[in-house]
């Protein structure tokens, strides 16, 4: 029954005396998809050129006033007025902002934000104050005009509030005094008797906008932290890069020792994390307010508050303890398989030693991905800024022309102005009525889809290139004499010359699934407030299914690219061969390939853990030696998290070379077992060391490998008898 079950996944590879590894006389595969990809790229370039000719990135960089003019634009009267000032910023909390993407209030360009609190009535009675007040008014305001005329014509704001510039826009300078939200300094709101001036409405409005403004303050502080620590973040990422390279080089010479060292160090690093969390937890015992729960404290913009709560450190300690126990248990139960996996890592180290440039190939992939991301980002910015300024009618009272399109040049004499006396023609957003503007959303969608397609193509190209290089080592009769002179460059040339279509095919399937996931996330965002639980449940199921499908397609593509690199077949045939080959060796996949991936994953965690611990001690100021060197930060966790995430991406890029090498050698090993039997007529291509390690369990125990080998031998004998009969 086992043999019949195994035969369901295709016939095993047969002995071929002419097969010597990656074939050189191969033809182009998946030509139709290659042509389709070329046409898509040409269209992508055309979309970029069209966006660059129509777009104006200044609309993103520079704020615009109510007339659509750029603040701070060189060569204009607004050159020295780089900041945008809102007459009544509280109107930005209107629901119409979500539809119009523009605050329904007058906006002007100013050279600096107001630093004083005053009303128009107060400023009008003092000539010096009124001169200062006119800096935040529109042109045409004179001393002879009365206050009612100024307010009716909306030439000046009714109130000035102390503001600070953020993203070149003036926002109220929020503060807190005695638990009361204030704007600016308390003295700017009080009169001589200490009572709040006639700004009650303003203070009430500010209270309603507290959450929004606090969020802006957090973003502002995070941005400030990045400006203070970017240099040290780069140093941390360079350290992660050097550590990754050091570990990979040491794996070449001390694979067995390094694996156990990585395991031991990782356990120690996590153990120290548990110890540190316990010490912090114990130190907060008896401290006032430390027993408050996370649920009671809720969301706080000052994240350091959470570090003063015992429950936070208890949660960290429990999580790290669970991770520690899981790793130790896995190591105990997989100790025998770890020895075999170490042998495979040693073989991968010997393979990489003959092509050291493969370690630096991820840098080439990073460069191509950076180009793809930069092109997508620039095109998206130009597409989003390629509209024309649209002006609409904004009014206070009921008006039949409300939100209609208007022309600011002749609005004072238009029928809209005569029908709605208190209305204004203000800049609303950027849009247009041409064919180009009607299909702008489709172009944005095309830009996102091509971004996924190109990014997956670049990643697939790296996988196929490395697979072809490593396979040339495995299938060499005399290693490394029978290898090509430049295996990585030779494999890259074959991939681009013959298999661009296969790469495009695999990346297209993956991109379609990813774009569907993006649409599902968009629908989920839109249905956040929906009451239909059935629809939410179905959407959640779809998201889960497509997530699993994406993971499976990535796994299938990776192994399909290996088979394409070896045999030169088209994508579908290679994916089928790879899938059936893995299914015929399910036990080996479970106990060997995945154990090796687990060990390499521990290596990534070790690099991230070491860099993360160093970043924590440096940026938090826990070590006195770093107190004078470390920058002063609002949130020291901002650079720490950045360094940790960046370190993982760097370590993942370099360790992916080992992962690809192990996967390639594993598939080659499985195919080698099917093609050959180790006799003088049909010798194995695997190295003697690898053959000894992978087969030694046959005499020691009846492990899963022995059962797998017996099945292979029985299947080969049956095939031999069938061939003799035929």
């Amino acid at each position: 029954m086992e043999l019949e079950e195994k035969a369901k996944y295709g016939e095993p590879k047969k002995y071929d005396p002419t097969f010597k590894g990656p074939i050189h006389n191969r033809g182009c595969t998946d030509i139709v998809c290659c042509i389709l990809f070329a046409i898509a790229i040409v269209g992508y370039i055309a979309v970029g050129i069209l966006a660059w000719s129509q777009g104006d990135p200044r609309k993103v960089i520079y704020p615009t006033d109510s007339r659509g003019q750029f603040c701070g634009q060189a060569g204009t009267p607004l050159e020295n007025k780089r900041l945008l000032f809102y007459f009544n910023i509280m109107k930005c909390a209107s629901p119409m902002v979500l539809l119009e993407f523009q605050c329904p209030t007058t906006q002007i360009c100013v050279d600096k934000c107001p630093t004083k609190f005053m009303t128009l009535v107060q400023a009008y009675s003092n000539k010096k104050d009124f001169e200062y007040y006119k800096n935040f008014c529109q042109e045409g305001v004179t001393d002879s005009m009365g206050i009612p005329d100024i307010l009716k014509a909306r030439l000046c704001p009714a109130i000035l509030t102390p503001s600070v510039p953020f993203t070149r826009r003036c926002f109220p300078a929020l503060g807190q005094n005695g638990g009361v939200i204030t704007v600016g300094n308390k003295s700017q709101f009080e009169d001589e008797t200490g009572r709040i001036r006639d700004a009650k409405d303003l203070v009430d409005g500010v209270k309603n906008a507290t959450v929004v403004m606090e969020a802006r303050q957090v973003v502002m502080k995070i941005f400030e932290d990045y400006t203070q620590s970017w240099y040290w973040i780069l140093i941390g990422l360079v350290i992660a890069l050097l550590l990754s390279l050091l570990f990979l080089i040491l794996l070449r010479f001390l694979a067995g020792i390094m694996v156990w060292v990585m395991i031991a160090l990782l356990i120690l690093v996590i153990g120290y994390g548990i110890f540190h969390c316990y010490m912090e937890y114990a130190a907060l015992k008896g401290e006032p307010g430390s027993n408050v729960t996370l649920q009671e404290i809720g969301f706080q913009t000052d994240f350091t508050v959470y570090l003063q709560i015992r429950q936070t450190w208890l949660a960290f300690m429990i999580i790290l303890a669970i991770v520690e126990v899981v790793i130790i248990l896995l190591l105990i139960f997989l100790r025998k398989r770890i020895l075999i996996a170490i042998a495979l890592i040693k073989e991968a180290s010997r393979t990489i030693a003959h092509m050291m440039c493969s370690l630096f190939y991820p840098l080439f992939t990073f460069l191509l991905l950076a180009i793809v991301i930069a092109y997508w980002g620039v095109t998206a910015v130009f597409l989003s800024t390629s509209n024309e300024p649209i002006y609409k009618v904004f009014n206070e009272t009921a008006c039949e022309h409300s939100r209609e399109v208007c022309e600011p040049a002749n609005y004072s004499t238009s029928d809209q102005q005569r029908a709605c006396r208190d209305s204004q023609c203000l800049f609303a957003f950027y849009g247009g009525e041409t064919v180009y503007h009607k299909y702008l959303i489709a172009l944005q969608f095309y830009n996102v889809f091509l971004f996924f397609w190109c990014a997956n193509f670049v990643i697939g190209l790296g996988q196929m290139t490395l697979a072809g290089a490593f396979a040339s080592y495995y299938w060499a009769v005399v290693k490394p004499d029978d290898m090509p002179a430049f295996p990585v460059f030779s494999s890259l040339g074959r991939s681009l010359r013959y298999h661009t279509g296969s790469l495009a095919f695999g990346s297209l399937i993956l991109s379609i699934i990813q774009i569907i996931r993006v649409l599902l996330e968009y629908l989920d965002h839109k249905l956040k407030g929906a009451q239909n639980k059935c629809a939410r449940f179905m959407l959640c199921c779809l998201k889960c299914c497509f997530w699993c499908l994406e993971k499976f397609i990535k796994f299938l593509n990776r192994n399909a690219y290996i088979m394409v690199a070896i045999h030169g077949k088209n994508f579908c045939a290679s994916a089928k061969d790879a899938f059936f080959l893995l299914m015929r060796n399910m036990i080996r996949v479970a106990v060997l390939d995945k154990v090796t991936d687990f060990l390499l994953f521990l290596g990534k965690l070790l690099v991230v853990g070491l860099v993360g611990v160093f970043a924590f001690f440096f940026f938090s100021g826990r070590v006195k030696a770093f107190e004078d060197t470390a920058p002063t930060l609002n949130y020291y966790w901002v650079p720490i998290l950045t360094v940790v995430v960046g370190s993982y991406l760097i370590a993942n890029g370099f360790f992916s070379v080992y992962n690809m090498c192990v996967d390639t050698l594993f598939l080659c090993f499985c195919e080698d077992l099917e093609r050959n039997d180790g006799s003088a007529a049909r010798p194995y291509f695997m190295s003697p060391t690898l053959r000894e390690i992978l087969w030694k369990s046959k005499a020691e125990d009846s492990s899963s490998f022995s059962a797998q080998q017996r099945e292979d031998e029985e299947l080969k004998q049956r095939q031999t008898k069938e061939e003799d009969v035929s």
Side-chain angles (χ1 to χ4, degrees):
M1 289 296 293
E2 292 180 355
L3 295 178
E4 293 178 0
E5 187 70 22
K6 189 173 181 179
K8 290 181 180 179
Y9 301 109
E11 291 294 330
K13 300 290 184 180
K14 296 182 179 180
Y15 173 69
D16 183 4
T18 62
F19 181 73
K20 302 295 182 182
I23 61 175
H24 299 282
N25 297 326
R26 58 178 70 193
C28 297
T29 56
D30 299 299
I31 300 176
V32 175
C33 200
C34 179
I35 296 174
L36 180 63
F37 184 65
I39 294 174
I41 291 296
V42 172
Y44 198 21
I45 295 174
V47 169
I49 295 175
L50 182 62
W52 297 340
S53 62
Q54 299 290 330
D56 189 354
R58 294 177 302 170
K59 298 172 185 176
V60 176
I61 301 173
Y62 304 113
T64 54
D65 63 8
S66 296
R67 299 179 180 178
Q69 298 174 319
F70 296 112
C71 297
Q73 183 177 358
T76 66
L78 303 178
E79 181 176 1
N80 296 324
K81 299 182 178 181
R82 300 171 54 84
L83 305 176
L84 186 68
F85 172 73
Y86 300 89
F87 272 25
N88 186 0
I89 196 172
M90 295 308 154
K91 289 189 176 181
C92 296
S94 170
M96 292 305 299
V97 176
L98 301 176
L99 301 176
E100 305 289 349
F101 296 101
Q102 184 74 7
C103 292
T105 184
T106 305
Q107 303 161 46
I108 62 173
C109 299
V110 295
D111 57 348
K112 59 182 179 180
C113 297
T115 57
K116 302 178 181 179
F117 175 85
M118 62 176 63
T119 64
L120 178 60
V121 176
Q122 293 171 338
Y124 192 80
S125 60
N126 187 302
K127 185 176 181 180
K128 183 178 180 181
D129 289 343
F130 192 54
E131 288 297 323
Y132 174 80
Y133 205 96
K134 284 192 292 185
N135 292 323
F136 307 98
C137 297
Q138 298 190 71
E139 297 179 357
V141 179
T142 61
D143 296 340
S144 60
M145 298 178 65
I147 294 178
D149 296 331
I150 295 175
L151 294 177
K152 185 177 180 180
R154 293 187 178 85
L155 297 177
C156 293
I159 299 174
L160 285 184
T161 61
S163 305
V164 293
F166 178 60
T167 65
R168 299 185 61 175
R169 291 163 175 83
C170 296
F171 291 105
L174 292 183
Q176 192 166 358
N177 195 315
V180 178
I181 302 298
T182 60
V183 180
N185 296 327
K186 186 173 182 288
S187 60
Q188 293 170 328
F189 284 92
E190 297 178 346
D191 56 18
E192 293 78 3
T193 63
R195 292 179 299 176
I196 299 295
R197 295 174 177 175
D198 52 350
K200 183 178 182 299
D201 294 336
L202 175 65
V203 175
D204 292 339
V206 170
K207 288 181 179 180
N208 296 331
T210 300
V211 175
V212 177
M213 295 304 179
E214 284 188 350
R216 288 197 181 106
Q217 280 189 328
V218 171
V219 174
M220 195 172 181
K221 289 180 179 179
I222 291 175
F223 179 77
E224 182 181 350
D225 288 342
Y226 276 121
T227 60
Q228 295 290 332
S229 61
W230 67 269
Y231 179 78
W232 298 106
I233 291 175
L234 288 180
I235 293 178
L237 297 180
V238 171
I239 293 175
L241 187 147
L242 296 177
L243 269 180
S244 300
L245 280 176
L246 177 62
F247 273 102
L248 294 181
I249 292 174
L250 291 177
L251 277 177
R252 162 65 185 94
F253 302 100
L254 304 169
I257 297 176
M258 282 303 300
V259 168
W260 291 113
V261 168
M262 284 192 302
I263 294 173
L265 286 179
L266 179 64
I267 293 175
L268 290 176
V269 168
I270 298 177
Y272 173 78
I274 297 173
F275 172 76
H276 180 80
C277 292
Y278 174 77
M279 294 302 295
E280 293 287 345
Y281 176 78
L284 290 174
K285 184 177 181 180
E287 292 291 329
S290 62
N291 291 323
V292 178
T293 63
L294 295 174
Q295 185 177 4
E296 292 174 347
I297 197 172
F299 175 76
Q300 298 291 329
T301 55
D302 187 1
F303 294 99
T304 57
V305 174
Y306 297 107
L307 301 181
Q308 308 301 321
I309 302 175
R310 300 188 74 200
Q311 194 178 80
T312 302
W313 294 106
L314 179 62
F316 287 160
M317 184 170 58
I318 293 174
I319 293 173
L320 291 177
I322 293 174
V323 173
E324 184 90 330
V325 171
V326 169
I327 292 177
I328 292 175
L329 290 177
L330 286 175
L331 293 175
I332 292 174
F333 288 107
L334 298 176
R335 61 188 183 279
K336 292 184 178 180
R337 301 308 170 198
I338 289 175
L339 296 176
I340 302 175
I342 289 174
L344 194 55
I345 292 177
K346 288 182 178 179
E347 186 68 15
S349 299
R350 281 189 287 269
T351 304
I352 294 175
H354 295 293
M355 50 189 87
M356 291 298 293
C357 61
S358 63
L359 286 178
F360 299 95
Y361 187 86
L363 297 178
F364 178 67
T365 301
F366 288 158
L367 176 62
L368 293 181
L369 283 177
I371 294 174
V372 171
I373 294 173
Y375 186 87
W376 163 77
V378 172
T379 303
V381 169
F382 275 88
L383 282 174
S384 62
T385 59
S386 59
N387 291 312
E388 300 172 351
I390 301 297
Y391 300 86
K392 288 192 175 184
V393 176
F394 289 91
N395 57 289
E396 294 289 341
T397 59
C399 176
E400 58 181 335
H401 300 293
S402 178
R403 301 304 188 268
E404 289 184 0
V405 178
C406 58
E407 292 292 336
N410 55 1
Y411 185 73
S412 59
T413 59
S414 65
D415 296 335
Q416 295 169 323
Q417 172 66 30
R418 285 192 290 269
C420 308
R421 291 295 181 181
D422 64 340
S423 64
Q424 289 180 287
C425 184
L426 302 178
F427 169 74
F429 57 88
Y430 286 98
E433 299 295 333
T434 64
V435 176
Y436 170 75
H437 294 106
K438 290 181 179 179
Y439 290 97
L440 197 56
I441 295 181
L443 294 178
Q444 286 279 24
F445 181 83
Y446 184 79
N447 182 35
V448 174
F449 180 73
L450 261 293
F451 165 71
F452 282 126
W453 197 356
C454 293
N456 291 324
F457 180 88
V458 170
I459 295 174
L461 176 62
Q463 293 174 347
M464 185 179 292
T465 299
L466 293 175
F470 298 142
S472 65
Y473 170 84
Y474 184 94
W475 295 106
V477 178
V478 180
K479 301 175 175 56
D481 297 340
D482 292 343
M483 290 175 55
F486 302 99
V488 176
F489 292 105
S490 299
S491 181
L492 177 61
R494 287 196 304 269
S495 301
L496 291 175
R497 181 179 178 183
Y498 298 108
H499 306 303
T500 300
S502 298
L503 289 169
F505 194 5
S507 56
L508 174 62
I509 297 174
L510 185 58
S511 301
I512 292 174
I513 296 173
Q514 289 174 337
I515 204 70
I516 292 175
R517 289 193 62 201
V518 171
L519 294 176
L520 291 176
E521 291 292 341
Y522 176 77
L523 290 176
D524 185 49
H525 178 72
K526 289 294 185 181
L527 294 175
K528 282 294 184 183
Q531 301 298 324
N532 193 334
K533 295 183 178 180
C534 181
R536 295 292 305 277
F537 174 76
M538 293 297 296
L539 186 60
C540 183
C541 292
L542 285 174
K543 289 169 60 178
C544 180
C545 291
F546 275 96
W547 180 85
C548 296
L549 182 60
E550 180 184 356
K551 296 299 180 182
F552 173 75
I553 293 298
K554 285 183 176 180
F555 172 78
L556 189 63
N557 281 6
R558 183 185 182 89
N559 291 283
Y561 293 151
I562 295 175
M563 300 303 285
V564 171
I566 297 174
H567 299 286
K569 296 181 180 180
N570 60 53
F571 177 82
C572 292
S574 300
K576 177 184 175 182
D577 291 343
F579 180 74
F580 284 171
L581 181 62
L582 291 173
M583 293 302 293
R584 292 196 297 268
N585 296 271
M586 285 187 292
I587 299 177
R588 291 192 179 99
V589 173
V591 300
L592 177 59
D593 190 48
K594 296 310 171 186
V595 171
T596 308
D597 291 342
F598 172 70
L599 292 180
L600 294 176
F601 177 71
L602 293 183
K604 300 176 192 177
L605 291 184
L606 178 59
V607 172
V608 174
L610 291 176
V611 177
V613 169
F614 174 78
F616 172 77
F617 282 114
F618 180 80
F619 289 110
S620 64
R622 299 298 178 94
V623 180
K624 294 183 178 181
F626 296 148
E627 287 183 353
D628 297 332
T629 308
T632 303
L633 303 172
N634 297 299
Y635 309 119
Y636 65 81
W637 52 264
V638 171
I640 293 176
L641 287 180
T642 305
V643 169
V644 167
V645 174
S647 299
Y648 180 80
L649 294 176
I650 292 173
N652 183 67
F654 284 99
F655 276 85
S656 65
V657 176
Y658 259 84
N659 280 324
M660 199 67 207
C661 185
V662 169
D663 291 345
T664 303
L665 295 180
F666 180 76
L667 276 181
C668 293
F669 163 74
C670 293
E671 186 171 335
D672 193 12
L673 289 179
E674 293 184 349
R675 287 183 178 275
N676 308 295
D677 57 7
S679 63
R682 297 165 61 181
Y684 289 119
F685 281 85
M686 69 183 74
S687 65
T689 305
L690 183 62
R691 185 189 318 150
E692 179 183 357
I693 293 295
L694 294 176
W695 284 80
K696 68 178 182 179
S697 59
K698 183 175 183 179
E700 295 176 357
D701 54 26
S702 57
S703 66
S704 56
F705 272 105
S706 299
Q708 185 81 44
Q709 293 155 11
R710 286 195 298 270
E711 291 179 9
D712 291 338
E713 292 299 329
E714 293 174 3
L715 193 59
K716 288 177 183 179
Q717 292 176 5
R718 193 181 70 174
Q719 290 175 350
T720 304
K721 292 180 180 179
E722 292 176 354
E723 291 175 359
D724 294 339
V725 172
S726 61

